[in-house]
Structures are given as structure tokens and as C-alpha cells.
Amino acid sequence: MEDDPVWGPHAYVVHYTVTNHGAGAADCFAQLEFLDADGDHLGNTGITADKLGAGKSKTGDAAPLDVEIPNGKIADIRSVRVTEVDRTPSS
């Protein structure tokens, strides 16, 4: 938990880097799953990197909204894991 100028006080902020290891530009999506202290599922959110060039990376921050945590509260989050990654060639 941290106080963040974008996500607000006591936010569970995820700092991420998405790298396109493909040969061409791509739209990338990753789903993040938030877990409580017992490892139980609390909710999900997603991050995107659109039109990311070959070999390029995007860094950013994300935080779940209350509505994205239907099985608890943001304060219950103890860890996050990536559960899905999609890479689609962009035109």
C-alpha cells in the first residue's frame, strides 16, 4: 500500500514493465489477479500497451478500483500475479 498522486492514499499500486519480444509492433494485454494473505482470489484488473514497437518496453503503474475487488477490500490485498498475457500484432 502506498499513497499515490494518481491512485490516491493507501492504494495497492502495481509497478510494471511490458516488453514486446516479437518481431513487429503489437498490442499487449496482461491480466493481474489480486490475492489475500491466504492466497485467495479477491479480484482482477488489466493493463495494456498498445502499438508497442518490436523490442520496446512500456513501464507504468496500475491499481485496482474498489469495484474490481468483489471478494474483499483493497486493504486485504497481499500479493498480485499475472494470470493472462495476450500479444496481438498491431497494424
Side-chain angles (χ1 to χ4, degrees):
M1 302 295 250
E2 63 185 81
D3 294 340
D4 185 86
V6 173
W7 302 107
H10 309 293
Y12 192 93
V13 180
V14 178
H15 306 278
Y16 65 85
T17 301
V18 175
T19 302
N20 178 4
H21 295 287
D27 297 329
C28 302
F29 167 81
Q31 180 170 285
L32 306 177
E33 178 182 30
F34 297 96
L35 308 168
D36 67 12
D38 296 325
D40 294 328
H41 171 86
L42 295 171
N44 300 308
T45 196
I47 57 172
T48 61
D50 296 327
K51 297 185 184 350
L52 191 59
K56 301 291 183 178
S57 295
K58 174 188 175 183
T59 59
D61 301 322
L65 304 172
D66 289 332
V67 69
E68 294 173 313
I69 307 297
N71 299 326
K73 300 176 187 170
I74 290 176
D76 297 334
I77 299 171
R78 294 295 176 265
S79 63
V80 61
R81 66 181 170 196
V82 176
T83 57
E84 179 183 340
V85 175
D86 292 318
R87 181 187 176 279
T88 305
S90 57
S91 49

